[in-house]
Amino acid sequence: MQVAGNTCICDLSQARSNEDRDRWMLALERAWTTGAHLSCECPRQGDKRLRFTAGRLVREPGKGFEHAPACVFYFPPRSQSGMSSYKVGVRAADTPGEWCLEVGPVITSPLEGFKQASSASSTMFSLRALFDFVWTIAGLNAWSPEAQSWRTVRDVNDRLLEAARDIYLERFPLVDYLLVGTPGVKEQKRSNRAKALKALEASRPFIAIVPLAAWSETREQASDHRLALTDFDGIPAFSCLSAEWQKALSENPFVVDAWRGGDRVLAVILATPCSPRLARLEKLRLVPVSAAWLPLDSAEQRWMELKLREEQRCFWKPLAFDSVSSRQLPDFWLEEGSRYAIPIAVRCEASRE
């Protein structure tokens, strides 16, 4: 940061405890409110100014691509993913969120529009696109060697909730409607229960992101009409119609292959609560993810993603959102320190083991 022309570098990664980090952040916020200029020191040229919003240190709106790919403030250019098909704007300065999504008329809940949303609109997001958006903002579609330290379940879910605080559905923060499964974390369990109970009292839907339980033939057939999940602390059980379950399984053949092979598969759920312990599933998307939590679409992508991580490369996967563009997205963008990313397209090889 710069104060009265003097430069001071604050490396938050060197904090010995959360208490130290909180004290440093408080000192930075005080300096910023008195006129200090804050900027990120990541190794890339560009406009890397930072600011405080609602007590959080954030990048300048729309400047994420100016940061280095390994930086926590990095956000890939919209033109290099399916996000380019939306007219998504930066949220007005009188609200704390960086992003605002159009969700249609809000009567009882900003999530009502997701029940009918499809790829037909260039502004309204479907459930599929909302997951891609949250995942991108959280930085979970990207990888660098430095990311290894924060790819635990708890850290990933903390990132998701931070991203949800930056997303507003019209004037409503997404974090108020998002439940995530974090095993063994009492605070998150209480938060999930409180959000689910509030949704029940208001008769409004909520969104949950929870891993499927390990594959079994019975679970694949959904014979008990209940979604089989794991890490669901504080999240209600979900009743699921067979048609909705089969639709989610058939959207991408790799979903079933990945689940049967032992890969982690996330259930992205839009549901309306029926009781404190049960909710009715309205929409479902199933997303296979790698051990590093990057979304995968095929066995070839799984092989390439693992190869890139083993080679300590820096890369990210462009997510499709609801893009209907004929332009083919690459499987990955490779960041090698230059100003421009290198596209990678994976080709199937029959002889590959």
Side-chain angles (χ1 to χ4, degrees):
M1 64 179 177
Q2 288 188 350
V3 183
N6 297 318
T7 300
C8 174
I9 297 178
C10 180
D11 187 352
L12 294 174
S13 67
Q14 299 301 312
R16 296 181 180 179
S17 65
N18 289 335
E19 290 75 16
D20 282 350
R21 186 179 184 278
D22 291 342
R23 283 195 293 268
W24 293 3
M25 290 291 285
L26 182 59
L28 283 174
E29 185 173 13
R30 287 173 176 169
W32 184 77
T33 56
T34 57
H37 296 281
L38 305 183
S39 63
C40 180
E41 291 296 307
C42 67
R44 176 173 272 188
Q45 298 296 319
D47 182 356
K48 298 180 292 183
R49 288 174 296 167
L50 305 175
R51 62 192 179 96
F52 274 89
T53 298
R56 295 187 300 125
L57 186 63
V58 298
R59 61 177 174 254
E60 283 291 315
K63 296 296 184 180
F65 63 92
E66 302 275 9
H67 294 261
C71 179
V72 295
F73 298 112
Y74 177 73
F75 189 85
R78 286 170 49 189
S79 61
Q80 294 179 349
S81 73
M83 191 177 172
S84 61
S85 62
Y86 295 98
K87 300 173 183 176
V88 180
V90 176
R91 186 66 177 181
D94 60 347
T95 57
E98 182 177 354
W99 305 93
C100 177
L101 309 185
E102 180 182 327
V103 294
V106 177
I107 300 175
T108 60
S109 166
L111 299 183
E112 290 290 341
F114 287 96
K115 294 180 181 179
Q116 293 82 31
S118 68
S119 60
S121 171
S122 63
T123 54
M124 291 184 63
F125 274 38
S126 70
L127 184 64
R128 170 194 177 99
L130 183 64
F131 170 86
D132 287 356
F133 194 47
V134 174
W135 222 250
T136 300
I137 291 178
L140 294 170
N141 66 325
W143 175 262
S144 66
E146 295 83 358
Q148 181 67 51
S149 62
W150 57 267
R151 291 301 168 107
T152 65
V153 174
R154 181 168 185 172
D155 289 333
V156 164
N157 286 337
D158 285 348
R159 285 243 171 177
L160 289 177
L161 294 172
E162 278 295 309
R165 290 185 181 93
D166 268 338
I167 301 173
Y168 273 62
L169 309 176
E170 300 297 346
R171 65 184 185 277
F172 303 91
L174 175 61
V175 71
D176 289 350
Y177 302 85
L178 178 63
L179 283 64
V180 295
T182 309
V185 181
K186 293 181 179 179
E187 309 87 65
Q188 188 57 50
K189 184 176 183 177
R190 286 195 294 266
S191 175
N192 287 336
R193 282 181 173 171
K195 291 177 184 179
L197 183 59
K198 192 172 183 179
L200 176 63
E201 293 171 346
S203 299
R204 71 185 190 191
F206 63 85
I207 291 174
I209 301 177
V210 193
L212 289 182
W215 177 88
S216 72
E217 187 173 352
T218 301
R219 288 170 176 169
E220 184 178 335
Q221 297 303 319
S223 57
D224 61 355
H225 302 287
R226 294 288 179 90
L227 207 58
L229 304 172
T230 187
D231 299 346
F232 50 85
D233 283 358
I235 299 176
F238 297 97
S239 62
C240 181
L241 295 176
S242 178
E244 190 67 35
W245 173 248
Q246 293 301 325
K247 178 182 177 183
L249 285 179
S250 63
E251 283 184 347
N252 182 354
F254 180 62
V255 169
V256 177
D257 292 342
W259 192 25
R260 289 175 177 173
D263 291 345
R264 181 187 286 117
V265 177
L266 300 178
V268 188
I269 304 162
L270 176 67
T272 302
C274 307
S275 73
R277 295 181 177 274
L278 181 66
R280 181 181 68 254
L281 188 146
E282 308 279 1
K283 291 275 189 178
L284 174 65
R285 183 189 177 195
L286 300 176
V287 185
V289 295
S290 71
W293 297 84
L294 273 75
L296 301 171
D297 299 325
S298 66
E300 288 73 34
Q301 281 191 4
R302 176 173 57 192
W303 176 85
M304 178 56 73
E305 187 267 356
L306 178 59
K307 190 74 172 175
L308 290 172
R309 283 195 289 117
E310 288 177 344
E311 294 181 357
Q312 300 289 293
R313 310 298 281 273
C314 188
F315 64 96
W316 60 278
K317 174 180 166 54
L319 302 180
F321 295 71
D322 284 321
S323 175
V324 294
S325 171
S326 60
R327 181 175 64 89
Q328 181 68 38
L329 293 172
D331 292 289
F332 300 100
W333 286 99
L334 184 63
E335 300 276 0
E336 296 285 54
S338 65
R339 187 67 177 174
Y340 303 101
I342 302 169
I344 297 178
V346 184
R347 295 289 178 261
C348 179
E349 296 177 15
S351 61
R352 180 186 299 154
E353 295 294 333

